[in-house]
Amino acid sequence: MIEIFLKTVPFFALIGLGYWAGATRFFTAEATAYLTKFVFYFALSAMIFRFTSNLELSDVWDGNLVLGYLAGTIAVYLLATIVAMLRKQSLEVTAVEAQCAVIGNVGFLGIPMLTLLLGEAAIGPVVMTVSIDLIVFSGLIVILITLSREGRLSMRTFGTVGLGLVRNPMIMSVVAGLTWAGLQLPVPAPMNDFLTILGGAATPGALFAIGASLSGKSAERMQTAAWLTFCKLGLHPLFVAFGVIWLFPVDPYTATVVISAAALPVAGNVYILAQHYGVAPQRVSTAILVSTIVSILTVSGIIAALTTP
């Protein structure tokens, strides 16, 4: 575990550096927003396209992986939903808390960290988990909040969900990369160099942006944050492990990648959605902050346990 922990230290140190820059106002909220936009639309998209353009669809799509990850994730999602309902939370807040319990920072933290720690072959399973999170659960929260507020669903709701997916650069870069690979088009050397240089900015940029954004988050409702952190860092990888090892078995390497992805802290895009709809943004903010701090130890521990012979 010490060896894995030391390998993860640089990643969390970059997050810490970003936090310092944000907390001291060396990096303003506006600067953080623009850095995040650069990483999201350019650097991370270049990294994903470069990786996926060298893959085949079979390297990404695995029916057992999809079913196993979905089974574990839905189980935790339902558990968080039941607990929220027992606490008499509204449907909107319940949907947001359930989202916190299962949606990890796979895009900004998982893709750069897991591909470096576990090898570039990890990109296939990681991309699959990101796609499931975005297509299934990011759409689900919009549907539930709309249902809570309007009492019904309309084609406009599903149009909003579909448009959100089309506009998401991670989804589009995956589709573009797999299409390029499917057409068996060679990647010209200048293009590959361009993608390598631009994609190289994804890891430090994403981690720095995570830290800088965390500096603006305050801690409230610590009991709820502790529960959601337990769901995300403890129950989610445990249930996903059950799904991909016993219910719908995949090969050991793929299982390691998917379980490690499930062990990542609450994603920042959950806060963006909560803030956009005005549903418990401070609660989500605290869950992100607490889960990210705790994950410094738990992520390295889980990866060490999975990779130790």
Side-chain angles (χ1 to χ4, degrees), residues 21 24 28 40-41 43 90-92 102-104 106 160 199 217 264 274 284 292 304:
T24 59
T28 63
F40 189 54
Y41 284 95
S90 67
L91 178 59
E92 292 177 333
V102 298
I103 302 302
V106 183
T160 300
K217 292 177 169 46
L264 295 171
V284 177
T292 302

Side-chain angles (χ1 to χ4, degrees), residues 11-297:
F11 295 94
F12 289 104
L14 276 167
I15 293 176
L17 183 63
Y19 186 91
W20 170 85
T24 59
R25 304 292 294 170
F26 185 82
F27 240 62
T28 63
E30 185 180 18
T32 301
Y34 279 110
L35 174 61
T36 301
K37 186 175 290 188
F38 164 74
V39 172
F40 189 54
Y41 284 95
F42 298 100
L44 196 59
S45 296
M47 174 188 278
I48 293 173
F49 179 85
R50 188 173 73 86
F51 284 152
T52 55
S53 63
N54 293 303
L55 296 177
E56 295 182 3
L57 184 60
S58 59
D59 296 321
V60 178
W61 174 262
D62 182 326
N64 275 15
L65 184 157
V66 173
L67 292 173
Y69 180 76
L70 269 176
T73 303
I74 290 172
V76 179
Y77 190 96
L78 291 176
L79 178 60
T81 297
I82 291 169
V83 170
M85 292 174 67
L86 290 174
R87 291 170 30 238
K88 302 188 184 304
Q89 302 298 303
S90 67
L91 178 59
E92 292 177 333
V93 173
T94 296
V96 167
E97 287 193 5
Q99 197 83 351
C100 286
V102 298
I103 302 302
N105 205 338
V106 183
F108 271 39
L109 180 58
I111 290 176
M113 184 168 76
L114 295 180
T115 51
L116 283 175
L117 288 178
L118 301 175
E120 288 194 6
I123 191 65
V126 171
V127 161
M128 194 71 257
T129 61
V130 170
S131 300
I132 293 170
D133 286 348
L134 291 173
I135 294 171
V136 177
F137 296 99
S138 292
L140 182 59
I141 189 174
V142 174
I143 290 170
L144 290 174
I145 290 175
T146 302
L147 182 62
S148 173
R149 293 183 174 179
E150 300 181 7
R152 64 184 180 83
L153 296 176
S154 63
M155 290 305 297
R156 181 171 58 85
T157 304
F158 294 101
T160 300
V161 173
L163 192 60
L165 292 175
V166 171
R167 287 177 173 174
N168 190 297
M170 282 198 288
I171 291 290
M172 289 299 98
S173 56
V174 169
V175 172
L178 290 177
T179 301
W180 191 282
L183 294 173
Q184 297 183 334
L185 299 173
V187 179
M191 179 180 175
N192 186 66
D193 292 342
F194 168 77
L195 293 170
T196 301
I197 294 169
L198 182 57
T203 299
L207 298 175
F208 192 94
I210 291 171
S213 64
L214 286 176
S215 68
K217 292 177 169 46
S218 58
E220 294 182 7
R221 294 181 176 268
M222 289 299 294
Q223 286 186 327
T224 303
W227 159 245
L228 295 176
T229 295
F230 174 68
C231 286
K232 186 66 205 71
L233 303 183
L235 296 182
H236 193 209
L238 178 64
F239 278 67
V240 168
F242 184 76
V244 298
I245 294 175
W246 288 285
L247 285 181
F248 304 97
V250 298
D251 65 90
Y253 177 78
T254 299
T256 295
V257 175
V258 175
I259 297 166
S260 299
L264 295 171
V266 181
N269 64 356
V270 182
Y271 175 78
I272 294 171
L273 284 169
Q275 189 176 48
H276 175 73
Y277 287 103
V279 182
Q282 291 304 118
R283 190 173 311 190
V284 177
S285 171
T286 306
I288 293 172
L289 183 62
V290 173
S291 64
T292 302
I293 293 171
V294 176
S295 70
I296 295 173
L297 293 177

